[in-house]
Amino acid sequence: MRPLTTLSFAALIAFGTTLAGTGAIKTYAETATDGALKTVADFETIPDKAARSKAIFEEASRVMTHPRCINCHPATRSPTQGEDMHPHVPLMIAAKTSHGPAGLACATCHGAENRPIVGSKLKSIPGNAHWQLAPASMAWQGLTVGQICEQVKDTSRNGNRSHADLIRHMGEDHLVGWAWHPGDGRTAPPGSQEAFAALIAAWVDTGAECPS
């Protein structure tokens, strides 16, 4: 991978800092701590099926509310970035698409893979071939875990995905998988994409119940 050394990126950083400000956008959902995800077997001691389903989603939400995921599921059509989820620099507005406005699309800086940066406090620019903002109907910032759960399984908001589609999306989508390979300077959510998908599958199998 080639380091990014052009002045154009530095100019974009300066421009975005002026527009975006320094305030961080917070989430009310629990943010993940370091460590592995619990396995499906860890919930077998919960005898009530509905309670087990809710507990499993709570564990899966440690991934979904991690900054790597929630930065691209913002409360507005502007993504956030960093561990503190501050406004994206430069300021980005998704407009009518999930790929950024004309003239400054996400792909302007985000390529098909992570790219290291030389001479910057940032260590890398994240990248993935599917890089884009989540649709407005899937905004997670500011929601409780229970509200995220209801949203995820609502076909009118989740892209008309069935439960089986959700399992495939969580377990096979390249952009979801990027979260565990975010490039230098970023933390990854707990566990792995496979462990996360296993929890989603177990949540579905136990009735896809949502925490209150």
Side-chain angles (χ1 to χ4, degrees):
M1 294 183 292
R2 293 183 301 172
L4 185 67
T5 58
T6 60
L7 292 175
S8 59
F9 182 76
L12 285 173
I13 290 290
F15 178 66
T17 301
T18 301
L19 290 177
T22 58
I25 296 177
K26 302 297 185 182
T27 172
Y28 295 105
E30 180 182 357
T31 298
T33 57
D34 291 338
L37 286 171
K38 292 181 179 179
T39 67
V40 175
D42 290 324
F43 298 92
E44 291 179 354
T45 56
I46 303 176
D48 182 77
K49 187 177 180 180
R52 186 162 68 253
S53 187
K54 293 174 183 179
I56 290 170
F57 190 88
E58 286 272 7
E59 183 65 11
S61 77
R62 294 179 58 214
V63 171
M64 301 168 77
T65 59
H66 188 277
R68 294 295 75 71
C69 298
I70 210 165
N71 275 335
C72 289
H73 288 259
T76 68
R77 297 308 289 151
S78 295
T80 56
Q81 61 185 174
E83 307 306 307
D84 62 350
M85 295 175 290
H86 60 270
H88 189 284
V89 178
L91 181 66
M92 291 293 293
I93 307 294
K96 295 181 180 181
T97 75
S98 295
H99 299 278
L104 190 59
C106 299
T108 303
C109 295
H110 298 282
E113 58 186 12
N114 301 326
R115 291 184 290 171
I117 305 175
V118 173
S120 170
K121 65 179 181 179
L122 300 176
K123 294 184 178 181
S124 64
I125 298 176
N128 182 274
H130 298 173
W131 197 269
Q132 61 184 302
L133 195 66
S137 62
M138 291 300 290
W140 292 350
Q141 289 185 7
L143 301 185
T144 66
V145 169
Q147 288 171 329
I148 292 174
C149 178
E150 294 289 353
Q151 183 190 55
V152 164
K153 69 177 186 178
D154 182 352
T155 55
S156 70
R157 292 185 285 174
N158 72 5
N160 200 34
R161 289 187 173 95
S162 66
H163 285 166
D165 293 334
L166 286 175
I167 296 170
R168 280 193 296 272
H169 175 67
M170 301 300 191
E172 300 176 14
D173 186 90
H174 289 192
L175 187 53
V176 173
W178 168 88
W180 287 274
H181 309 280
D184 291 344
R186 297 174 193 85
T187 63
S192 65
Q193 185 173 19
E194 293 76 16
F196 174 55
L199 288 173
I200 295 298
W203 168 65
V204 167
D205 189 54
T206 52
E209 299 286 345
C210 290
S212 56

